[in-house]
Amino acid sequence: MKKSVLACLFATAMLSLSAHAADKIRMGVVVKVGGNAWFNAMEAGIKSEAAKRGIDAWQVGPTSADPALQVRAIEDLIAQKVDVIGVVPNDARVLEPVLKRAHDAGIKVIVHESPDQKYADWDFEMVDATQHGINHMVALAQCMKEKGDYAVYVGSLTVPLHQKWADAAINYQKEHYPNMHLVGDKFGVGESLDDSIRTTNDLMSKDANLKGILAIGSQGPIGAGRAVLNRGKTDDICVFGPFSPGQGASLVKAGAIKGGFIWNPMVAGEVFVRIAEKLEKGEKITDGMTIEGMGKVKVDEATHTILGNETESLDKANLPKLVKMGL
């Protein structure tokens, strides 16, 4: 009898453990590209926050910034029947069909850096896009003494958020700095180190009046800074843009990158997990609420957008603090 009771208790305990495991939220986050410092920091944030909250979450980093690779990664997550899919899109439109399949399968979708993304439950932005672009233009204009030619890089011509940042910066320049002139159109090279270096070298060779580069994309400022440093143009050309502090620290110290503004990608990874947990628990996300890592947020329910307002300056004074954090 005792053996029978013990067996019964053991079986009940195993069933309870199994049920608990089955209830554990499972989330995969697909980023633009794997292996660079920015998304390595994001992955650390995802892992640490997931462990803290008892969530099974991981990051998938494609080998290149190719939208087709993101589609495949999302298809794989759908096949795994995860509860939540997070994405930092390379091409918002290319992802629409696969995100629709995720949505139709009952999987919640959270995107980052992709305003107005179709088939997403929420897009979260660590800072308002328009203000972020303006902040960079003001800094660039001050460095250029409000005159001369400048170029703008974006990670890709199909990344909506990069377009918003760039357009806000360009529009602000046109209104406030008439003696500055945009060279050509936006260059979609900011996620490739080699392309950013090559484009900067071409621009320096062709335009003697080039005085500034606003480089958006994780590798844009790094590539532009390296090219400017190699040409001995650190006193002539101002490079501004968001970049990973550890990767760009030596270029800032050398004066090849003058600065920029970022949010902490590690915190963005944590926010992915926090929002996922809220969605799975059925908690409402409302205007004015506080989300850890984003502060008091603005919420647009019509566009499913959550806006924070916390950034870090990438100047010589603040950079050592960020590097020390492992960014």
Side-chain angles (χ1 to χ4, degrees), residues 3 64 91 102 154-155 166 192 195 220 244 249 254 314:
K3 286 184 179 180
S64 67
D91 189 319
V154 291
S192 168
D195 289 346
S244 176
L314 294 169

Side-chain angles (χ1 to χ4, degrees), residues 4-133:
S4 176
V5 171
L6 287 171
C8 184
L9 288 172
F10 179 75
T12 302
M14 291 304 293
L15 284 170
S16 177
L17 286 171
S18 177
H20 179 74
D23 290 338
K24 196 172 187 180
I25 298 169
R26 298 177 67 244
M27 177 187 194
V29 179
V30 180
V31 298
K32 292 179 180 179
V33 63
N36 69 35
W38 183 271
F39 290 117
N40 286 345
M42 184 173 287
E43 183 173 26
I46 291 167
K47 287 181 176 179
S48 65
E49 190 66 12
K52 193 185 300 181
R53 295 177 180 268
I55 292 172
D56 185 11
W58 63 94
Q59 179 171 297
V60 181
T63 54
S64 67
D66 182 349
L69 294 178
Q70 286 195 311
V71 170
R72 286 183 216 162
I74 295 168
E75 286 174 338
D76 183 56
L77 292 173
I78 294 171
Q80 293 182 50
K81 298 182 180 179
V82 297
D83 300 298
V84 184
I85 291 175
V87 193
V88 187
N90 279 311
D91 189 319
R93 288 193 175 183
V94 169
L95 295 188
E96 285 178 14
V98 73
L99 293 183
K100 183 179 186 302
R101 289 198 290 277
H103 191 266
D104 291 345
I107 298 171
K108 294 179 176 64
V109 176
I110 303 167
V111 297
H112 176 46
E113 299 185 18
S114 194
D116 303 318
Q117 177 71 59
K118 285 189 177 181
Y119 307 110
D121 291 273
W122 287 103
D123 166 66
F124 75 91
E125 305 298 335
M126 302 298 284
V127 64
D128 176 74
T130 299
Q131 190 59 51
H132 198 52

Side-chain angles (χ1 to χ4, degrees), residues 14-310:
M14 291 304 293
L15 284 170
S16 177
L17 286 171
S18 177
H20 179 74
D23 290 338
K24 196 172 187 180
I25 298 169
R26 298 177 67 244
M27 177 187 194
V29 179
V30 180
V31 298
K32 292 179 180 179
V33 63
N36 69 35
W38 183 271
F39 290 117
N40 286 345
M42 184 173 287
E43 183 173 26
I46 291 167
K47 287 181 176 179
S48 65
E49 190 66 12
K52 193 185 300 181
R53 295 177 180 268
I55 292 172
D56 185 11
W58 63 94
Q59 179 171 297
V60 181
T63 54
S64 67
D66 182 349
L69 294 178
Q70 286 195 311
V71 170
R72 286 183 216 162
I74 295 168
E75 286 174 338
D76 183 56
L77 292 173
I78 294 171
Q80 293 182 50
K81 298 182 180 179
V82 297
D83 300 298
V84 184
I85 291 175
V87 193
V88 187
N90 279 311
D91 189 319
R93 288 193 175 183
V94 169
L95 295 188
E96 285 178 14
V98 73
L99 293 183
K100 183 179 186 302
R101 289 198 290 277
H103 191 266
D104 291 345
I107 298 171
K108 294 179 176 64
V109 176
I110 303 167
V111 297
H112 176 46
E113 299 185 18
S114 194
D116 303 318
Q117 177 71 59
K118 285 189 177 181
Y119 307 110
D121 291 273
W122 287 103
D123 166 66
F124 75 91
E125 305 298 335
M126 302 298 284
V127 64
D128 176 74
T130 299
Q131 190 59 51
H132 198 52
I134 290 172
N135 290 345
H136 278 94
M137 178 50 66
V138 169
L140 179 67
Q142 288 175 349
C143 182
M144 291 175 58
K145 299 180 181 178
E146 301 183 12
K147 61 184 178 181
D149 294 346
Y150 74 98
V152 174
Y153 301 168
V154 291
S156 164
L157 298 176
T158 56
V159 177
L161 185 61
H162 288 193
Q163 299 298 314
K164 285 197 172 188
W165 291 346
D167 290 343
I170 293 166
N171 291 338
Y172 194 83
Q173 173 267 306
K174 289 178 179 177
E175 288 182 26
H176 295 86
Y177 309 119
N179 294 322
M180 289 173 60
H181 305 283
L182 178 65
V183 177
D185 203 347
K186 292 165 282 191
F187 297 87
V189 297
E191 291 297 343
S192 168
L193 180 64
D194 290 341
D195 289 346
S196 296
I197 291 172
R198 189 179 306 112
T199 301
T200 306
N201 282 329
D202 288 346
L203 288 169
M204 288 189 293
S205 296
K206 294 174 181 175
D207 188 351
N209 195 40
L210 184 71
K211 300 298 180 183
I213 297 171
L214 173 54
I216 297 167
S218 64
Q219 300 304 302
I222 306 300
R226 286 190 186 180
V228 167
L229 182 63
N230 290 340
R231 288 280 187 97
K233 295 278 190 178
T234 57
D235 293 331
D236 303 314
I237 298 175
C238 302
V239 177
F240 277 87
F243 57 87
S244 176
Q247 191 179 19
S250 62
L251 292 168
V252 172
K253 187 176 181 180
I257 299 176
K258 297 298 190 284
F261 305 92
I262 63 162
W263 54 86
N264 188 323
M266 190 178 296
V267 175
E270 294 169 359
V271 170
F272 258 124
V273 176
R274 289 170 191 148
I275 294 175
E277 185 179 52
K278 287 182 182 298
L279 293 186
E280 281 298 294
K281 288 184 174 180
E283 296 178 11
K284 283 194 171 184
I285 295 174
T286 56
D287 189 56
M289 75 183 296
T290 297
I291 296 177
E292 185 183 352
M294 297 185 76
K296 190 175 180 180
V297 299
K298 293 180 182 178
V299 174
D300 187 335
E301 292 189 10
T303 60
H304 301 276
T305 303
I306 307 167
L307 292 173
N309 193 25
E310 295 191 2

